Amino acid sequence: MKIILGINSYHADSSACIVKNGKVLAAIEEERINRIKHWAGFPEKSIKECIRLSGINCNEITDIAINTKPTSNLPHKFLFFFKNYFFSKKILEIFFRYKKRITIKNLLLKEFNFGNRVRFHFIDHHIAHISSAYYPSNFEKAVGLTIDGSGDFSTLTISECSKNQIKIIKKNIISPFSWNFL
Ligand SMILES: [Fe+2]
């Protein structure tokens, strides 16, 4: 049995959902609870509400999927940071924003009583978007297209979706030298 907690954290419209053996049991955006539109922090209340609505116990969750993969396009992220923020007043703000994303596992383990064998999965942002369309579609084969501004340093991807696998075949990566978007 697989019970997956999916979270969209530190990104616009923070949210959570619980999927049990491929079926969505609960899903909610944090803004519906905290009443702050497009809230983009840690979705603590959504996680609690999803657990309550789905009637499962926290320690039954087998996997946690997170909406970003800090190592995706890492050289571009790194160069962008150095080019734009190394000598800037915002350096600490940007550093702590990134730190929150890579240490989210610690926060989740601190705040919730997950079992010892729960597995964490950091999912590339665009793969997460395509997954939300491809897997519920029941299509055996499909072409995935994401246009986002931006996720994990990419704004557009094209994927081959086949036999429950998603493979990015083309992607646009933000050049660290083109524009300043943060
Ligand atoms: Fe996105």
Side-chain angles (χ1 to χ4, degrees):
M1 183 175 66
K2 262 204 181 302
I3 302 180
I4 303 168
L5 167 67
I7 61 169
N8 173 35
S9 190
Y10 303 124
H11 189 70
D13 305 318
S14 292
S15 53
C17 72
I18 301 264
V19 176
K20 183 178 180 182
N21 295 333
K23 189 177 170 217
V24 177
L25 297 185
I28 190 161
E29 279 189 24
E30 193 81 358
E31 70 168 33
R32 298 290 152 181
I33 307 170
N34 70 11
R35 313 308 294 165
I36 303 169
K37 286 299 272 181
H38 306 301
W39 196 74
F42 178 66
E44 184 180 353
K45 295 182 176 74
S46 311
I47 297 170
K48 285 180 179 161
E49 190 60 5
C50 280
I51 290 168
R52 187 188 73 77
L53 288 170
S54 57
I56 56 147
N57 199 310
C58 216
N59 60 19
E60 291 179 90
I61 291 170
T62 57
D63 298 81
I64 298 174
I66 297 156
N67 63 307
T68 183
K69 187 173 184 180
T71 54
S72 276
N73 305 316
L74 189 60
H76 291 78
K77 288 174 181 167
F78 203 65
L79 276 173
F80 187 90
F81 175 79
F82 273 92
K83 178 187 170 261
N84 293 292
Y85 297 110
F86 195 69
F87 298 107
S88 139
K89 284 179 193 162
K90 287 184 86 177
I91 188 168
L92 285 179
E93 182 192 326
I94 302 294
F95 172 78
F96 285 116
R97 192 187 300 172
Y98 193 71
K99 188 179 169 211
K100 272 198 281 190
R101 288 184 183 162
I102 60 176
T103 56
I104 191 169
K105 181 179 165 181
N106 301 341
L107 181 60
L108 283 160
L109 290 171
K110 189 174 142 220
E111 296 295 326
F112 297 92
N113 198 17
F114 297 118
N116 322 328
R117 282 191 287 179
V118 66
R119 296 193 309 163
F120 286 83
H121 308 270
F122 288 86
I123 311 294
D124 177 88
H125 193 76
H126 287 262
I127 297 269
H129 273 300
I130 296 167
S131 302
S132 72
Y134 174 56
Y135 291 119
S137 77
N138 289 326
F139 292 147
E140 194 189 316
K141 277 189 167 186
V143 173
L145 170 68
T146 56
I147 303 171
D148 200 2
S150 68
D152 277 327
F153 243 65
S154 177
T155 53
L156 185 147
T157 67
I158 298 168
S159 304
E160 202 176 88
C161 308
S162 177
K163 296 177 185 161
N164 276 340
Q165 298 287 319
I166 296 172
K167 187 178 159 201
I168 293 179
I169 51 176
K170 281 264 184 215
K171 68 177 169 182
N172 157 281
I173 305 174
I174 295 165
S175 163
F177 302 105
S178 60
W179 44 287
N180 186 340
F181 72 99
L182 285 174

